[in-house]
Amino acid sequence: MRKHIVAGNWKMHKNNQETIALLEEIIEKKEANTTEIVVAPTFVNLLTAVENTKGKGITVAAQNMHQAEGGAFTGEISASMLTSIDVKTVILGHSERRAYFHETDALLANKVDTALKHNMRVIFCFGEELKDRQIDNHFKVIEYQLRDALFHLEKSDWSNIVLAYEPVWAIGTGETASPAQAQEMHKFIRTLIDKVYGHEVADNVSILYGGSVKPDNAKEIFSNPDVDGGLIGGAALKAEDFLAIVNAF
Ligand code: PGA
């Protein structure tokens, strides 16, 4: 049975002290729940986050990672640097990485390979832009993003893949896909995975929805059979909102 996951992508927010404070509040207020809680603070605060969440049932993830094993890549972070501090989950392909840092599906395929080689779990983000949806091209865009970045993987690799469908037009805009739109796309994605990898992989892969998920819309979005959780931006920065979303299952 696939897992329910709610992941907070903190983006470039929260300094070291704020990271500690937010984690403390999440730990203090969180209720026993079968949903996996993931937090992704910025690189400089990952070690602090790992130390402050030890044994507390919270997974710490990185927001990005370089594809090379190491070398002359000023300002970049490798997979082994992350695993050496016990960070074993990484978000790859976020639309902000694609838009502002020119990450392509081909590059992301490399990053995914490197992460899997290091036994990391990947939360792979993808999603169409508004212009794609307006011309009814959104299913094609999603299919190509998945094909180009992930469909070279072996069946067995999929136990370390979590998908995060994030329509770009819904990220940070206050606009969300309607629950019906989310279900329609999640179902399309699962059917596609089924065609390429078969039932077992399709049934077991968690597909998260991201894009302006808030406490007041989470329940409705999560009530869809093919939505297995959320990737949360803005609302992950306040413990109460984030936990309300976690508890929405
Ligand atoms: P948002 O961000 O919840 O602020 O829309 C989601 C994301 O970027 O993952």
Side-chain angles (χ1 to χ4, degrees):
M1 198 45 204
R2 54 187 181 260
K3 238 188 214 170
H4 287 168
I5 301 168
V6 173
N9 173 12
W10 294 9
K11 308 191 180 182
M12 199 169 73
H13 296 290
K14 305 289 176 190
N15 65 24
N16 191 261
Q17 291 74 25
E18 291 162 348
T19 296
I20 294 170
L22 179 54
L23 288 173
E24 241 169 42
E25 206 183 333
I26 292 173
I27 289 165
E28 187 193 309
K29 295 186 175 157
K30 86 179 175 70
E31 296 164 21
N33 202 317
T34 52
T35 302
E36 180 183 353
I37 300 177
V38 179
V39 294
T42 181
F43 283 126
V44 285
N45 294 318
L46 284 176
L47 181 56
T48 302
V50 167
E51 287 170 348
N52 283 264
T53 54
K54 222 165 233 155
K56 303 292 183 193
I58 293 175
T59 304
V60 176
Q63 297 173 17
N64 178 33
M65 185 199 92
H66 197 271
Q67 66 276 15
E69 292 297 331
F73 299 104
T74 301
E76 291 294 330
I77 310 280
S78 73
S80 65
M81 289 171 188
L82 295 173
T83 56
S84 73
I85 58 164
D86 251 1
V87 172
K88 296 178 191 133
T89 301
V90 61
I91 298 171
L92 292 176
H94 191 278
S95 72
E96 287 147 22
R97 300 292 318 169
R98 293 173 188 260
Y100 307 140
F101 303 96
H102 315 295
E103 296 197 0
T104 61
D105 292 320
L107 172 79
L108 291 166
N110 273 332
K111 289 194 176 200
V112 169
D113 287 345
T114 304
L116 295 179
K117 191 171 150 206
H118 286 263
N119 262 322
M120 296 180 77
R121 181 175 53 160
V122 173
I123 300 177
F124 184 78
C125 307
F126 55 98
E128 83 281 1
E129 292 178 38
L130 186 58
K131 62 175 171 28
D132 303 315
R133 197 166 264 271
Q134 280 165 341
I135 58 166
D136 217 20
N137 201 33
H138 43 299
F139 293 112
K140 270 271 160 299
V141 169
I142 296 307
E143 183 173 347
Y144 292 162
Q145 284 177 337
L146 291 174
R147 180 195 67 188
D148 294 348
L150 298 180
F151 285 176
H152 65 287
L153 298 177
E154 302 289 333
K155 213 172 183 173
S156 58
D157 291 330
W158 280 79
S159 55
N160 275 324
I161 300 287
V162 172
L163 298 177
Y165 167 61
E166 297 201 299
V168 177
W169 47 273
I171 296 177
T173 58
E175 208 165 309
T176 51
S178 68
Q181 283 173 323
Q183 170 57 23
E184 183 187 34
M185 184 56 89
H186 281 228
K187 172 106 190 145
F188 171 79
I189 294 162
R190 204 178 300 283
T191 306
L192 186 62
I193 308 282
D194 194 335
K195 269 190 218 148
V196 182
Y197 289 99
H199 262 1
E200 204 185 326
V201 172
D203 270 355
N204 286 319
V205 66
S206 298
I207 309 177
L208 317 185
Y209 169 81
S212 299
V213 179
K214 308 283 178 212
D216 60 358
N217 61 21
K219 224 185 189 110
E220 223 189 335
I221 294 170
F222 293 169
S223 66
N224 288 300
D226 287 295
V227 177
D228 307 308
L231 183 55
I232 320 300
L237 300 173
K238 269 181 70 186
E240 241 165 68
D241 289 353
F242 183 58
L243 291 172
I245 295 170
V246 172
N247 294 334
F249 268 114

